[in-house]
Amino acid sequence: MARLPAPGSVIVPDWHESTEGKEHLSSILRKNRRRVFGLLERPVLPPQVAADTASYKIFVSGKSGVGKTALVAKLAGLEVPVIHHETVGIQTTVVYWPAKLQASDRVVIFRFEFWDCGEAALKKFDHILPACKEKTDAFLFLFSFTDRSSFEDLPAQLSRVAGDVPNTVKMVIGSKFDQYMHTDVPERDLMAFRQAWELPLLRVKSVPGRRLADGRTLDGRAGLADVAHVLNGLGEHLWHQDQVAAGLVPGPQESSPDGGQG
Amino acid sequence: MAEESAAGAVHLLCLAASSGVPLFSRSSRGGAPSRQQLPFSIIGSLNGVHMFGQNLDVTLRSARTEDSAVVWKTFHDSITLIVLSSELGCAELRLERLLELVFGAMVLLVGLEELTKIRNVERLKKDLRATYGLIDSLLVDTELAGDLTQCVDCIIPTHGPLLQEALAGFAEEMGSVFASLVAGGRVVVGTEGWWRLGAPEAVLLPWLVGTLPFQAARDYPVYLPHGSPMVPHRLLTLTLLPGLELCVLCGPQPPLSQVEPQVLERWWQPLLEPLRACLALTPRGIPAGFPLHPDILGLLLLHLEQRRGLFTVDLGGEEGPSPSARRRLLRSFYVLVTATHFPPEEKAEEPGCPTGVPRACYVVCGAAAEGPQGRQDPGAGLRLVAVQAGPRRLLLLVSARSPTYALRGLATRTLHALTPLL
Ligand SMILES: Nc1nc2c(ncn2[C@@H]2O[C@H](COP(=O)(O)OP(=O)(O)O)[C@@H](O)[C@H]2O)c(=O)[nH]1
Ligand SMILES: [Mg+2]
């Protein structure tokens, strides 16, 4: 039985709202907007609060139109696409996220590198899937609450995309949760899926957040508050997986029969 | 706004040549994208009159009314593009080049085969949606001039040789000969191979990079309309700093996953300050200290053999027209001198016109050319002057206080001063 970390057991959940957390968040904000970083840049913290960086590659997978590109944009604090345009080729997005570890009381800066690609490109070009999978630390499997077929496709996707990659984090993300009123995926089906697969599940709304006084620019802090649970959830499973790989905590194989959690 | 709705519109239509089925249409109004579409009956008539000519072995190329122009062009007997423009000073030269570039953009993103062997129109329509962003950027106001001049828009960096060296080394490690640094759609430095890219991809690739939304990196399939219209290549873009992208054109290798942060850091971290300095150069394009006469409000410098250009209106001079008005004036003047005063670029070195002898012409803008009613027209009295010497052509927008008799001297001296840059 796979042992998943319980939510909040690895990362202090609401730390980003504390004084210390806010101080760290200022390294990824600039004038209340999210800062964007080039590949040669990284957040700079004052020397007294310096923290280590933990880098992870995350492949975002799912049917065309489920909201992969919108999710990544939302996590990065960028404008989410309103009109659906199939993503061309591969695009990667880097998101920095400071978080506090429960066990050591240390702060780490997560560097998530999201790999997003269009379904048509994936089918047309052979090089795309291997590049996305190479050395990936996590798979996000998206389905949309408004598209039942994207949910039913999950098992096939799990085996097609990640079947040959054990020991990586796999998470399921239900997108368009703001449209839950019109959902095609009732809670009982989700429960059944979770019991069968024992994968962590997150629900997201990738909709534009609050804007600053100018009415145009996205409010960086508000945007971060919207997605903190996703970033913490991701960080939690990735950090835990590293601990298991390093033999610091028991993993799936060593776990006692009664020790597993859903 | 009343002013905006009065401004001209551009409508671009794309149809399957044999069946006349519309594939897409894009529009702009007042220099911004617009949702407005032409009625289906007008699309039908515009296409019909062109087809009618074709049946009589007559190629209808363009038509004008008092305030608008239409240009038709069919590519590979398969795709017909029609552009209808009511923008001020809409010239056939501009519209013809626009259609060439639009078709180039379509090949760049979907490949020539799909455009010439249309098997499934619905599928083609869907695939062509990927070109809308790039095509829209060709219809709206832009800070670049390459769509018109067919020369690659460049920035002249302060530390050119240093960046050049790093770029060459990095490209070699990537196993590609095509690499460049691009800021705001302009090329800062390129490898020798990059500069050998043919038209239109040399203009389109940096233009494309300038229009895409922010991403850390991309692996973007592209066909090269001139160099490889059937077999896709991969354009890798790596955002070193926000606004400054490293571009590498390659085949199946290397995978994007191989371009790790450590590789980038090894090559580029030591050059962080020169790279930052490039960003400070947009939109001006040339180093801040470069001496230019204060009467110069904007300039367009082209090297017609290397097919590179420098287009800037951010040279100081707070008074006078807005940057976009300055750009519009220089663009119209370019069309004028290219259509009437200087031979087209392709024939720049025809025997009979000895190179090295500068030739020049100028115009003075009339009052109230496009100024809003009741206010002093900031464009009135501005001077536009062009000189050509050897492979270089320079167009200047000059303040109204500059005496006309000195324009030619000013232009010749400025061209001389700019010659080491481009
Ligand atoms: N309401 C709502 N719309 C969403 C959400 N996520 C994506 N969308 C919309 O769904 C469409 C497809 O999203 P996109 O991210 O481009 O899909 P992709 O093909 O998986 O990358 C776009 O029009 C988005 O605006 C969401 O969480 N809520
Ligand atoms: Mg997408």
Side-chain angles (χ1 to χ4, degrees), chain B residues 76 107 150 178 221 244 247 264 268 304 319:
Chain B
H76 298 266
V107 176
Q150 303 176 323
F178 307 102
L244 184 66
C247 302
L264 290 177
W268 299 101
L304 301 172
E319 93 287 16

Side-chain angles (χ1 to χ4, degrees), chain B residues 297-367:
Chain B
L297 303 178
L299 68 84
L300 174 62
L301 171 66
L302 301 175
H303 193 298
L304 301 172
E305 278 166 20
Q306 296 181 354
R307 311 230 49 97
R308 301 183 205 179
L310 173 66
F311 184 36
T312 173
V313 295
D314 295 80
L315 299 169
E318 291 299 309
E319 93 287 16
S322 67
S324 63
R326 292 180 190 197
R327 280 192 285 266
R328 228 173 302 131
L329 286 166
L330 274 167
R331 287 175 69 100
S332 312
F333 186 52
Y334 171 83
V335 171
L336 180 76
V337 298
T338 307
T340 60
H341 294 272
F342 296 126
E345 290 85 344
E346 308 84 70
K347 301 183 206 131
E349 305 131 283
E350 254 180 17
C353 59
T355 50
V357 183
R359 290 164 304 140
C361 65
Y362 76 86
V363 296
V364 176
C365 299

Side-chain angles (χ1 to χ4, degrees), chain B residues 12-23:
Chain B
L12 173 80
L13 309 169
C14 175
L15 307 103
S18 53
S19 61
V21 174
L23 298 173

Side-chain angles (χ1 to χ4, degrees), chain B residues 16 30 52 65 103 145 171 205 210 239 246 303 337 360 381 396 405 422:
Chain B
F52 176 72
T65 66
F103 186 71
L205 288 171
T239 303
L246 175 58
H303 193 298
V337 298
L396 295 181
Y405 63 80
L422 195 75

